[in-house]
Amino acid sequence: MGNLKIQTNKTIENWTSFTLINDNDVKISLLDFGGIITEIIVPDKNGNMENIVLGYHNHEKYKSNPNFFGAIIGRVAGRIQNSSFTHNGESFFLEANEGKHHLHGGNNGFHKAIWEAEPFQTIDQVGVKLTHTSPDGEGGYPGNIQANVTYTLTNDNQLIIDYDATTDKTTALTMTNHSYFNLNGNVSDTIHHHHISMNSQQFIELNHDLIPTGNVVSVDGTPFDFRQGRMLEDGIHSNYEQNKLVGNGYDHYFIFDQDPNVLVTESNSGRTLTIQTNQPGMVMYTSNSIVDDLDQDGIQSEKYLGVCFETQASPASLHFDRMPTVVLGENQVYKKQTVFTFGIV
């Protein structure tokens, strides 16, 4: 046992900031507001401890947070076409907060809630359990939702995010975390040279509104084939139509194969990030349309400063078959886990 501990501080609006520290001096800081991860400090190959996620030094900016930096996203992560869906013959109309479409639970989604926080510590891990109740009809969604999100930092340099929820009416629910990773550390470079490997044979095609068309596309022969590994710059510089229409890069849902491990490496820093989950897929977003308000480490906002790995089901399932469903029945328990393991090559 060494440095394993939790630090708490009050910040603006009486929000509470929690910093989880393990025996290796890895630090993860988060807010009870939006469950927002504000910093992840991990070593590079030379032992330099640096932050590998985007965020705001000035916490006031999290009040608007148009990029959703580090936040818990819900009820439904992603875009819902025309801000509506029908289930069992009943139509539900949601808040339109991105043109005519619904994005990331609406303007007052889980990313804007103050979660009830309960820190905990054991012999080899520290964490915070966050709890939030979303009432029937909030944002247009049916059902009272009782949601829990637990962040756990282990001495194996793992961040474990556990999601569980129940509803008293059949509803739509798929939560994720919207952290933007940059393994260079302290935003010292873009993500062009991040190397990604993942087991996914198919992705969901988008239209010019970034709404799924209903087509599930094979990755064969495209910049979306990461089965043998490739650099993110392959898609950023690609002339492939699906890369171009999202602003040159990726903002797509990948459907996982049986073994959903994702491996991210950055050779200059030597940092690695492994992602394991029981979610059926993941949106990978290369910050192609990042809003110009970053105030981190003296860096000006620009595209490609971070990459999101939004493990989740697909909101396209509300309109199309063959997609991993976001429907949660009143007798079902939503129970998902994503594990981020930080390492060095």
Side-chain angles (χ1 to χ4, degrees), residues 103-134:
L103 174 66
H104 287 338
N107 288 325
N108 295 302
F110 289 179
H111 66 292
K112 290 294 181 67
I114 296 180
W115 293 64
E116 182 180 332
E118 181 182 348
F120 62 88
Q121 183 169 346
T122 69
I123 193 170
D124 58 359
Q125 59 187 33
V126 289
V128 179
K129 181 179 180 180
L130 301 172
T131 301
H132 173 59
T133 301
S134 175

Coordinates of all heavy atoms in Angstrom, one line a residue, residues 103-134:
L103 N -29.8 14.8 -29.8 CA -28.4 14.3 -29.6 C -28.1 14.2 -28.1 O -28.4 15.1 -27.3 CB -27.5 15.4 -30.1 CG -26.0 15.2 -29.9 CD1 -25.5 13.9 -30.6 CD2 -25.1 16.4 -30.3
H104 N -27.6 13.0 -27.7 CA -27.0 12.8 -26.4 C -27.9 13.1 -25.2 O -27.6 13.7 -24.2 CB -25.7 13.6 -26.2 CG -24.5 13.0 -27.0 ND1 -24.5 11.7 -27.4 CD2 -23.4 13.6 -27.4 CE1 -23.3 11.5 -28.1 NE2 -22.7 12.7 -28.1
G105 N -29.2 12.8 -25.4 CA -30.2 12.9 -24.3 C -30.8 14.3 -24.2 O -31.6 14.6 -23.2
G106 N -30.4 15.2 -25.1 CA -31.0 16.6 -25.0 C -30.2 17.5 -24.2 O -29.2 17.2 -23.6
N107 N -30.6 18.8 -24.2 CA -29.8 19.8 -23.5 C -29.8 19.6 -22.0 O -28.9 20.1 -21.4 CB -30.5 21.2 -23.8 CG -30.2 21.7 -25.2 OD1 -29.2 21.4 -25.8 ND2 -31.2 22.3 -25.8
N108 N -30.7 18.9 -21.4 CA -30.7 18.6 -20.0 C -30.6 17.1 -19.7 O -31.2 16.6 -18.8 CB -31.9 19.2 -19.3 CG -32.0 20.7 -19.4 OD1 -31.1 21.4 -19.0 ND2 -33.0 21.2 -20.1
G109 N -29.7 16.5 -20.5 CA -29.5 15.0 -20.3 C -28.6 14.8 -19.1 O -28.3 15.6 -18.3
F110 N -28.1 13.5 -19.0 CA -27.4 13.1 -17.8 C -26.1 14.0 -17.6 O -25.6 14.1 -16.5 CB -27.0 11.6 -17.9 CG -28.2 10.7 -17.8 CD1 -28.0 9.3 -17.9 CD2 -29.4 11.1 -17.5 CE1 -29.0 8.4 -17.7 CE2 -30.5 10.3 -17.4 CZ -30.3 8.9 -17.5
H111 N -25.6 14.5 -18.7 CA -24.4 15.3 -18.7 C -24.6 16.7 -17.9 O -23.6 17.3 -17.6 CB -23.8 15.6 -20.1 CG -24.7 16.5 -20.9 ND1 -25.9 16.0 -21.4 CD2 -24.6 17.7 -21.4 CE1 -26.5 17.0 -22.1 NE2 -25.7 18.0 -22.1
K112 N -25.8 17.0 -17.7 CA -26.2 18.3 -17.0 C -26.7 18.0 -15.6 O -27.1 19.0 -14.9 CB -27.2 19.1 -17.8 CG -26.6 19.7 -19.1 CD -25.5 20.7 -18.8 CE -25.0 21.4 -20.0 NZ -26.0 22.2 -20.7
A113 N -26.8 16.8 -15.2 CA -27.4 16.4 -13.8 C -26.3 16.5 -12.8 O -25.1 16.2 -13.0 CB -28.0 15.1 -13.9
I114 N -26.7 16.9 -11.6 CA -25.8 16.8 -10.4 C -26.1 15.4 -9.8 O -27.2 15.2 -9.3 CB -25.9 17.9 -9.4 CG1 -25.5 19.2 -10.1 CG2 -25.1 17.7 -8.2 CD1 -25.7 20.4 -9.1
W115 N -25.1 14.5 -9.9 CA -25.3 13.2 -9.4 C -25.0 13.1 -7.9 O -24.1 13.7 -7.4 CB -24.4 12.2 -10.2 CG -24.8 12.1 -11.7 CD1 -24.7 13.1 -12.6 CD2 -25.2 10.9 -12.3 NE1 -25.1 12.6 -13.8 CE2 -25.4 11.2 -13.7 CE3 -25.4 9.6 -11.9 CZ2 -25.8 10.3 -14.7 CZ3 -25.9 8.6 -12.9 CH2 -26.0 9.0 -14.2
E116 N -25.8 12.3 -7.2 CA -25.5 12.0 -5.8 C -24.2 11.1 -5.8 O -24.2 10.0 -6.5 CB -26.6 11.2 -5.2 CG -26.4 10.9 -3.7 CD -27.6 10.2 -3.1 OE1 -28.8 10.4 -3.6 OE2 -27.4 9.5 -2.2
A117 N -23.2 11.5 -5.1 CA -21.9 10.8 -5.1 C -21.6 10.2 -3.8 O -21.7 10.7 -2.7 CB -20.8 11.8 -5.5
E118 N -21.1 8.9 -3.9 CA -20.6 8.2 -2.7 C -19.3 7.6 -3.0 O -19.1 6.6 -3.7 CB -21.6 7.0 -2.4 CG -21.3 6.2 -1.2 CD -22.3 5.1 -1.0 OE1 -23.3 5.1 -1.6 OE2 -22.0 4.2 -0.2
P119 N -18.2 8.2 -2.4 CA -16.9 7.7 -2.6 C -16.6 6.4 -1.8 O -17.3 6.1 -0.8 CB -15.9 8.8 -2.1 CG -16.8 9.6 -1.2 CD -18.2 9.4 -1.7
F120 N -15.7 5.5 -2.3 CA -15.4 4.3 -1.6 C -14.0 3.9 -1.8 O -13.3 4.4 -2.7 CB -16.3 3.1 -2.0 CG -16.2 2.8 -3.5 CD1 -15.3 1.8 -3.9 CD2 -17.0 3.4 -4.4 CE1 -15.1 1.5 -5.2 CE2 -16.9 3.1 -5.8 CZ -16.0 2.1 -6.2
Q121 N -13.4 3.1 -0.9 CA -12.1 2.7 -1.0 C -11.9 1.3 -0.4 O -12.5 0.9 0.6 CB -11.2 3.6 -0.2 CG -9.7 3.3 -0.3 CD -8.8 4.4 0.3 OE1 -9.3 5.6 0.5 NE2 -7.5 4.1 0.5
T122 N -11.2 0.4 -1.1 CA -10.8 -0.9 -0.6 C -9.3 -1.1 -0.5 O -8.6 -0.1 -0.7 CB -11.4 -2.0 -1.5 OG1 -10.8 -2.0 -2.7 CG2 -12.9 -1.8 -1.7
I123 N -8.8 -2.3 -0.3 CA -7.4 -2.4 -0.2 C -6.6 -2.2 -1.5 O -5.5 -1.8 -1.4 CB -7.1 -3.9 0.4 CG1 -5.6 -3.9 0.8 CG2 -7.4 -4.9 -0.7 CD1 -5.3 -5.2 1.6
D124 N -7.3 -2.3 -2.6 CA -6.6 -2.2 -3.9 C -7.3 -1.4 -4.9 O -6.9 -1.4 -6.1 CB -6.2 -3.6 -4.5 CG -7.5 -4.4 -4.8 OD1 -8.6 -3.9 -4.5 OD2 -7.3 -5.5 -5.3
Q125 N -8.3 -0.6 -4.5 CA -9.0 0.3 -5.5 C -9.8 1.4 -4.7 O -10.1 1.3 -3.6 CB -10.0 -0.6 -6.3 CG -11.1 -1.3 -5.6 CD -11.9 -2.2 -6.4 OE1 -11.4 -2.8 -7.4 NE2 -13.2 -2.3 -6.1
V126 N -10.0 2.4 -5.5 CA -10.8 3.6 -5.0 C -11.8 4.0 -6.1 O -11.6 3.7 -7.3 CB -9.9 4.8 -4.7 CG1 -9.0 4.5 -3.5 CG2 -9.0 5.2 -5.9
G127 N -12.9 4.6 -5.6 CA -13.9 4.9 -6.6 C -15.0 5.8 -6.1 O -15.0 6.2 -4.9
V128 N -15.9 6.2 -7.0 CA -17.1 7.0 -6.6 C -18.3 6.3 -7.3 O -18.2 6.1 -8.5 CB -16.9 8.4 -7.1 CG1 -18.2 9.2 -6.7 CG2 -15.7 9.1 -6.5
K129 N -19.3 6.1 -6.5 CA -20.6 5.6 -7.1 C -21.5 6.9 -7.3 O -21.8 7.6 -6.3 CB -21.3 4.6 -6.2 CG -22.6 4.1 -6.8 CD -23.2 3.0 -5.9 CE -24.6 2.5 -6.5 NZ -25.2 1.5 -5.6
L130 N -22.0 7.1 -8.5 CA -22.9 8.2 -8.8 C -24.3 7.7 -9.0 O -24.5 6.6 -9.7 CB -22.4 8.9 -10.0 CG -21.0 9.5 -10.0 CD1 -20.5 10.0 -11.3 CD2 -20.9 10.6 -8.9
T131 N -25.3 8.4 -8.5 CA -26.7 7.9 -8.6 C -27.5 9.1 -9.1 O -27.3 10.3 -8.6 CB -27.2 7.4 -7.3 OG1 -26.4 6.3 -6.8 CG2 -28.7 7.0 -7.4
H132 N -28.5 8.8 -10.0 CA -29.3 9.9 -10.5 C -30.7 9.3 -10.9 O -30.8 8.2 -11.4 CB -28.7 10.5 -11.8 CG -29.6 11.5 -12.5 ND1 -30.1 12.6 -11.9 CD2 -30.0 11.5 -13.8 CE1 -30.8 13.3 -12.8 NE2 -30.8 12.6 -13.9
T133 N -31.7 10.0 -10.6 CA -33.1 9.7 -10.9 C -33.6 10.6 -12.0 O -33.6 11.8 -11.8 CB -34.0 9.7 -9.7 OG1 -33.6 8.8 -8.7 CG2 -35.5 9.3 -10.1
S134 N -34.0 10.0 -13.1 CA -34.6 10.8 -14.2 C -36.1 10.5 -14.3 O -36.5 9.4 -14.5 CB -33.9 10.4 -15.6 OG -34.5 11.0 -16.7

